[in-house]
Structures are given as structure tokens and as C-alpha cells.
Amino acid sequence: AWARVQKLPPRRYKSLADLLEAKEINEGVYQPYADAVCRLPAERGRVASWPVATVLPFLAQPDRHILLKPEITKQVADSLGFELNYRPEPNWRTYRSLLQMAEIYKQKLAPLKPRDLIDVQSFFWVACGGYDK
């Protein structure tokens, strides 16, 4: 997927490329990406959403990024007693909190040998009944 993104004209993916190429995920690289997602045109439905904003980084670098599906993720944070700082529009504060929660649970799941944040996301999904819905 990343190889295809790299072939797009630079103005279309600069903030995504900056995020994926950054040594550290921080507000300086995440917020411009979130802002770019919020500016995407939408003929139908809502583009400026957490699933849209987090799916490409998650698929490109599952060892560094995680998918945020709002309802299940809010349930996970509540059940684990974690402050997600959730706001509906993609933003750095919420994403930073999600990454912190994911890292804590990746460490707690270490005996199960999670390979990346896909395994952590799967734990969150199953732990809060995501497959029951």
C-alpha cells in the first residue's frame, strides 16, 4: 500500500508520508495529517472520521500505529479505566492517548507475544465484545 501512495503527486500525500517517515510520532507530524484527512472531500458519508484517519497508518505500520474505531475504543478505555481524551474529529491528543493505552496493553500482553498493534487492537476488540455486535 505504501508503494502505491509514494507514486501519488506529492501534494496529495505529503502529510501521510511525513507521518510514516517520522522517527517519532508526535503532534508535529500527526496533526497536519489529521487536518489533511479533515479536509478531504466527501460526496457521501463522513470522511473526517477516526477510522478513515487511522486505517492507512495502521495498515502501513502496524508496529507503530493503531486503528481507532470510536465506539469499541471508547468502551475499551472506559472498561480499562483509561482516559482516552476522545473527541470525534481526528486530533493529536486523542491519538496520543490511544497510542499510550495500546503501548501499556502491549506490555501487559507480552506473555502472549503480541507481534504488533494489530494484536493489541484484536485484544481490545474481543475484550469489549466487538465480535458480538
Side-chain angles (χ1 to χ4, degrees):
W2 177 233
R4 282 184 248 149
V5 169
Q6 287 178 308
K7 293 177 186 176
L8 293 173
R11 69 184 180 281
R12 292 193 179 184
Y13 75 93
K14 181 167 179 6
S15 59
L16 175 60
D18 290 347
L19 175 62
L20 295 177
E21 292 172 356
K23 289 183 181 184
E24 178 185 336
I25 303 167
N26 58 40
E27 185 174 11
V29 293
Y30 191 81
Q31 194 58 55
Y33 170 71
D35 293 343
V37 169
C38 290
R39 288 190 307 269
L40 289 171
E43 289 182 29
R44 288 181 271 159
R46 206 171 141 239
V47 175
S49 67
W50 278 110
V52 170
T54 56
V55 70
L56 286 178
F58 179 59
L59 292 174
Q61 295 176 335
D63 57 318
R64 300 178 70 201
H65 294 279
I66 189 161
L67 181 67
L68 196 162
K69 293 195 53 94
E71 295 311 310
I72 196 76
T73 304
K74 288 188 292 184
Q75 287 178 12
V76 167
D78 287 345
S79 70
L80 299 175
F82 195 88
E83 177 55 56
L84 189 58
N85 297 300
Y86 181 80
R87 290 192 333 238
E89 72 283 348
N91 68 85
W92 169 243
R93 186 173 182 207
T94 300
Y95 194 64
R96 179 187 63 210
S97 296
L98 175 63
L99 289 176
Q100 290 170 340
M101 183 173 74
E103 185 55 36
I104 288 167
Y105 279 87
K106 186 176 180 187
Q107 291 173 14
K108 289 182 179 286
L109 295 169
L112 300 173
K113 298 183 172 79
R115 290 173 290 186
D116 51 33
L117 297 179
I118 291 173
D119 289 341
V120 175
Q121 174 71 33
S122 298
F123 168 77
F124 289 163
W125 189 258
V126 170
C128 283
Y131 291 112
D132 297 339
K133 294 181 171 99

